[in-house]
Amino acid sequence: VGRYFLVPLQHVTTQSEWQEIVSALREGVEPPIWYDYLFSAKKRIEDGDTLAAILDLAIASEARIRMFMDEMLPSELPAGFKRAIDRMNMSDVTANWQACGLPNIPELAQIKLLFEVRNAIMHRGRDERADATFFTTASKAVLGLLEAL
């Protein structure tokens, strides 16, 4: 027939991601929310909504980072301290990454940039760096972050 198709390279779900999802489903628990936002980001970029796709990536990252930090807190920590930690903005968290107890990851610079671009989109409605190329790079960093945490 002489036709051909271009299929974009897509993320292949890792064994640990599948295990996390399988475990949650077996226990009747909802999969972690960051996967919802990760898949939403993928759908939005396919639909051409780059800004929303980037926002979804940032939400997925922030949800996972905050959950990781929450899991590290001692149960006897007073509620006021927990609320103060919950109010930390992501710029402060990324600037004090290791001091917040987060593991050193190679994607940290890209995650910081993702939050910077996210903030520009949220506060100014745009960012000149927010394009499909940035999305591709940022989504790889988010996948690395999710794998590390």
Side-chain angles (χ1 to χ4, degrees):
V1 176
R3 295 183 190 164
Y4 63 91
F5 295 93
L6 291 176
V7 179
L9 179 65
Q10 297 186 10
H11 169 70
V12 176
T13 305
T14 66
Q15 184 65 30
S16 65
E17 290 170 334
W18 273 122
Q19 289 303 324
E20 189 173 350
I21 292 167
V22 166
S23 295
L25 291 173
R26 281 188 182 143
E27 295 171 13
V29 176
E30 291 286 321
I33 191 72
W34 45 89
Y35 289 121
D36 290 342
Y37 284 101
L38 189 62
F39 294 128
S40 175
K42 179 183 172 203
K43 177 68 174 138
R44 289 178 189 265
I45 199 70
E46 289 171 358
D47 292 343
D49 193 351
T50 306
L51 296 181
I54 291 169
L55 293 176
D56 280 349
L57 284 179
I59 293 168
S61 299
E62 184 167 350
R64 183 62 186 114
I65 291 166
R66 290 193 183 280
M67 179 64 73
F68 184 87
M69 290 173 58
D70 285 349
E71 290 168 351
M72 291 187 323
L73 295 176
S75 59
E76 66 276 358
L77 190 67
F81 283 105
K82 289 181 181 181
R83 281 193 302 277
I85 291 168
D86 285 344
R87 283 193 290 258
M88 282 181 72
N89 66 49
M90 279 294 111
S91 297
D92 290 337
V93 171
T94 59
N96 299 288
W97 190 260
Q98 289 182 318
C100 289
L102 295 155
N104 193 20
I105 59 170
E107 298 86 4
L108 181 57
Q110 189 62 39
I111 295 298
K112 286 180 180 181
L113 183 58
L114 173 61
F115 287 121
E116 185 180 312
V117 171
R118 186 268 317 256
N119 290 344
I121 293 169
M122 292 300 295
H123 298 292
R124 292 186 289 286
R126 63 182 171 78
D127 188 294
E128 62 278 354
R129 299 167 290 187
D131 59 17
T133 302
F134 177 81
F135 175 84
T136 301
T137 305
S139 63
K140 289 177 186 173
V142 171
L143 289 171
L145 170 79
L146 295 178
E147 187 69 27
L149 300 182

